[in-house]
DNA sequence: TACACGTGGCG
DNA sequence: TCGCCAAGTGT
C-alpha cells in the first residue's frame, strides 16, 4: 500500500484491509472482487493483485509464513528492491537498505549528488550509499528514520535544515545547495482526452462493464463508453462505443455531468449522458463482463475514482427528484 | 531503458 | 489551475 502512496493516505485502507484479511491465509482465499473492492480508491490497482498473488504463494510455497530470507521474499510478486529491504529490515532485522523517494532525496543531499536521480548510474550509486549506511543493529529503525527525515524535514521544497539532526553531515547544506538537489528532469506533459460515457437504462437498471485485464484499471467496473474521435460529437461517440463494445443500440438522452479526472499519465474528461437501450443482449467485445444493476447495487462493485464521482452525481440527482416529489414546490 | 500505472495533497 | 510528489514495480 505504501508503494508511491503517502502514509496518511494508506493508513485507513490498511486498517480496514487487515481487519478483513487478518492473515495470509484469509487473503489467499478471498475473491479477486473482494480484494479489489477493499483497494478501491487507493490507486495502482495492480498492487492489490500482486499482494493477493503473494498471499497465495506464501500459503502454497512457504507454509503460510512470510519468508524471512530476503532472497526468497524478493521473489514474491510486487516485491521489488525497496519493499524487500523495508520488510526484511523492519520485520526481521536484516541489514538491508530501503531506498524510497524520501531516502533518495536525503542521500542525494547528504552526499551532494549532482547527477540527475533518474539516471541508472545515479540510482546505483544511491543504492550503494544506502547499503553502506545501514547498521547491523536495528536496521529497520535506521531505514524508517531516513525515510521519516525525508518526509518531515528534508522535504522536496523548503527543507528545514536548521532542525535537521544530520545538518553537520550534509554536503548539500554545507554548500547551501540543498534547494538544487536532487537534480531531476522535467516530466513530459500528459495528454488530455475526451471520453463519452453512458448511464444506460433498462427497466430501472443500469449497465456496468468490467475493465479488461492488462489495461488501466483492470478488473474495476465502469459506466461504459470510450474515447471521442475527431469530427465526432459526444453523442455519436457514445452510440458508437456502445455498439462496438457491447453491441447495444442506445438512444442518448439527457446530460448528467462532466467529470475531469487526472491519472498518472493521462487526463480525461468524462462526458456523461443518460441513455436508453430498450432491447438487445449486451454482448462483450473489449469489455470482459457486463451487468445490469440497480443503482443501489453499484456500490458493491469496485469502481475507479472517476466513476465514483458519476455515481455520486446519480445519487444526488435522485435525491433531488425524491425531494421534489415529496414537496412539489421545492424549497 | 523508458514507460505505464491512481489518487490526493500541496505550494 | 498546474506541476510536483508520494515508504515503486513490472514490462
Amino acid at each position: 500500500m505504501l508503494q508511491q502512496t503517502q502514509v496518511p493516505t494508506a493508513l485507513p485502507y490498511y486498517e480496514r484491509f487487515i481487519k478483513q484479511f487478518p492473515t495470509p491465509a484469509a487473503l489467499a482465499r478471498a475473491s479477486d472482487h473482494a480484494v479489489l473492492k477493499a483497494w478501491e480508491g487507493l490507486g495502482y490497482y495492480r498492487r492489490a493483485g500482486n499482494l493477493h498473488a503473494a498471499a497465495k504463494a506464501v500459503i502454497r510455497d512457504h507454509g503460510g509464513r512470510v519468508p524471512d530470507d530476503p532472497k526468497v521474499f524478493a521473489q514474491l510478486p510486487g516485491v521489488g528492491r525497496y519493499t524487500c529491504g523495508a520488510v526484511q529490515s523492519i520485520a526481521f532485522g536484516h541489514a538491508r537498505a530501503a531506498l524510497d523517494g524520501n531516502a533518495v532525496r536525503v542521500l542525494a543531499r547528504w552526499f551532494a549528488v549532482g547527477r540527475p536521480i533518474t539516471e541508472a548510474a545515479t540510482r546505483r550509486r544511491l543504492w550503494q550509499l544506502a547499503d553502506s549506511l545501514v547498521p547491523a543493529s536495528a536496521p529497520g529503525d535506521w531505514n524508517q528514520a531516513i525515510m521519516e527525515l525525508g518526509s518531515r524535514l528534508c522535504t522536496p521544497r523548503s527543507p528545514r535544515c536548521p532542525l535537521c539532526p544530520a545538518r553537520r553531515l550534509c554536503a548539500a547544506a554545507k554548500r547551501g545547495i540543498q534547494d538544487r538537489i536532487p537534480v531531476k528532469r522535467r516530466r513530459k506533459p500528459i495528454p488530455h482526452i475526451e471520453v463519452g460515457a453512458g448511464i444506460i437504462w433498462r427497466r430501472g437498471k443500469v449497465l456496468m462493464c468490467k475493465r479488461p485485464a492488462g489495461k488501466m484499471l483492470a478488473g474495476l467496473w465502469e459506466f461504459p463508453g470510450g474515447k471521442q474521435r475527431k469530427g465526432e460529437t459526444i453523442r455519436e461517440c457514445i452510440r458508437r462505443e456502445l455498439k462496438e463494445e457491447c453491441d447495444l443500440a442506445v438512444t442518448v438522452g439527457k446530460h448528467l455531468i462532466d467529470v475531469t479526472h487526472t491519472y498518472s499519465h493521462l487526463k480525461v474528461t468524462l462526458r456523461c449522458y443518460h441513455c436508453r437501450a430498450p432491447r438487445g443482449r449486451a454482448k462483450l467485445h473489449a469489455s470482459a463482463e457486463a451487468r445490469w444493476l440497480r443503482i443501489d447495487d453499484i456500490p458493491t462493485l469496485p469502481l475507479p475514482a472517476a466513476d465514483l464521482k458519476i455515481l455520486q452525481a446519480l445519487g444526488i440527482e435522485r435525491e433531488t427528484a425524491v425531494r421534489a416529489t415529496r414537496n412539489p414546490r421545492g424549497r
Side-chain angles (χ1 to χ4, degrees), chain A residues 113 115-128:
Chain A
V113 174
R115 301 291 304 171
I117 55 169
T118 44
E119 288 178 0
T122 313
R123 315 291 302 196
R124 277 197 296 277
R125 181 170 168 216
L126 288 166
W127 271 106
Q128 278 176 6

Side-chain angles (χ1 to χ4, degrees), chain A residues 81-100:
Chain A
R81 191 166 177 184
Y82 159 76
T83 301
C84 183
V87 170
Q88 293 297 318
S89 65
I90 296 169
F92 300 119
H94 291 304
R96 291 296 191 105
L99 192 67
D100 74 329

